[in-house]
Amino acid sequence: HVAPAGASVANTAPADMLNVSVTTSSGAIEGLGKFLQYGNGRGVPSYAAFTREHTHRVHDPKYVDWDTVVSLGNTDAFVKALMLFYTSGDTLLVDEWTYPAIIGTVVPMNIQLAPVRMDAEGMVPEALDHVCTNWTGERKLRMVYTIPTAQNPTGATMSIARKRAIYAVAQKHNLVIIEDDPYYYLQFEPYTADSENRYTNLPGITSLVPSLLSLDTDGRVIRLDSFSKVLAPGLRCGWVTAPKYITDKIQFHNETSIQQPAGVSQAIVASLMNEQWGHSGWERHLVQIQRDYAMRRDLFVDLCLKHLNGLVEFTVPDAGMFLWFRVQLKPELQGQTGVMQRVFDSMVANHVLLVPGY
C-alpha cells in the first residue's frame, strides 16, 4: 500500500483578506495587552467562547455538561486525552492503518496498539466488536482512536450509519472514543468525470456528515478540532470538546505544559471569528477551502485515471487530502524483497513524495 502525501496544506490562510488589528478592547474581543499576558489553560475568553458557540451550532452535543478547552492542535490534544485514561502497558484500539504520529507518540509511552480492520468507510464496527469481545489481555480495553473524516492515511470517510454503528459498539464495551477530526470541514461532493458540473453543491457547514460528538448521549466522545487544515497550521490553535470534568483536567494539564496557544495566534483567530467574519463569514471561507481541495482531488484523480490505469487501485475520497493506492505489482515482482522500497525511491527521484503504508 502506498499513500500519496497530502503535500503542502492548501493556502487556507486568506492572506488577501487578513488585516487583523488588535489594540485596545473593542467589546467583542480583549485588547492586545490581554493576549500578550500569561493566561490560564482554558484560553483567552473570546477565543474559548467562539469554540463553544461554534461547537454548539455545528454539533449540538446531546448532553448538558459539555465544554471546550484550548489545545495546540490535535496531536497535543490527543496526548492529553490519552494520559487521562492510559498508563504504561495499556492497549489502545486504532484503525489498522493509522496516523503515523500517533504511533510515534504512544510507543515511547509503552502503550500498545490493537488494530481494527477497515474498509472504504474506515473502521468496521463488526471488527471492533470482534476485537473487544475476544480480548484476552491483562488490562481492559478502554479507548478507541479514530479519524472519521478523510482518515489519515487512507482517505476513508465514515457515513452517518457507520458512525452510529461504531458508537453502539463503544456503548456495548464501555469505550471512550477519541474523535480526531482535523479534516471535518474539508468534505466535498463525490467525484464526477463531468467537469462542467463540479463544485456546485459544496456542504459548507450545514450539510456536513454529522459527527460522532453529535450522536453522543453518554459523554463518551472526546472530540479534537483544529484550525490547522482550514486556516493556518502555524497558528497552532485547536480545541477539545468533552464532558466538563474531562476538559477541566485538560485545562490543568495545559497549565503545567503549554499553558495555552500563543496569545498572538489566539488574537488572530478571535478577531477573525468574532469581529471580521462572524459565523457567516467563517462558513463562506470554509466553502472556498472545500472548493480548493475538491479541485486538487479532481485534478489528481483525473491524472491517476489517465496515467495509472492498471497499475494501482484506489477509492476516490469524498473529503480531505489523501488518496490511498493499492499497488498492483506484476507477477514477476510479487514477493521480491525490497520491491516497494524501489518503487518509493523511484517516485522520490521523480519529485513525487509518497508515504509508504507498510
Side-chain angles (χ1 to χ4, degrees), residues 15 65 80 94 116 132 155 180 189 192 220 311-313 342:
D65 57 336
K80 286 167 181 165
V94 296
V116 179
C132 293
D180 185 358
E189 305 148 294
T192 173
R220 66 177 64 252
L311 299 177
V312 299
E313 294 179 351
R342 283 155 45 200

Side-chain angles (χ1 to χ4, degrees), residues 284-295:
R284 287 193 298 272
H285 171 73
L286 291 175
V287 169
Q288 182 58 51
I289 298 306
Q290 290 166 357
R291 182 177 289 106
D292 289 346
Y293 274 101
M295 292 173 65

Side-chain angles (χ1 to χ4, degrees), residues 40-106:
N40 66 36
R42 212 84 193 181
V44 175
S46 59
Y47 176 95
F50 174 81
T51 66
R52 284 192 293 272
E53 183 181 351
H54 175 76
T55 298
H56 174 69
R57 290 167 64 101
V58 175
H59 305 287
D60 189 21
K62 300 303 184 289
Y63 59 96
V64 175
D65 57 336
W66 65 272
D67 203 353
T68 64
V69 63
V70 295
S71 73
L72 291 186
N74 286 16
T75 303
D76 169 60
F78 165 77
V79 171
K80 286 167 181 165
L82 185 72
M83 291 177 69
L84 289 176
F85 295 89
Y86 273 48
T87 188
S88 176
D90 286 335
T91 300
L92 176 68
L93 291 152
V94 296
D95 299 308
E96 64 178 319
W97 304 103
T98 194
Y99 178 36
I102 296 304
I103 300 173
T105 298
V106 303

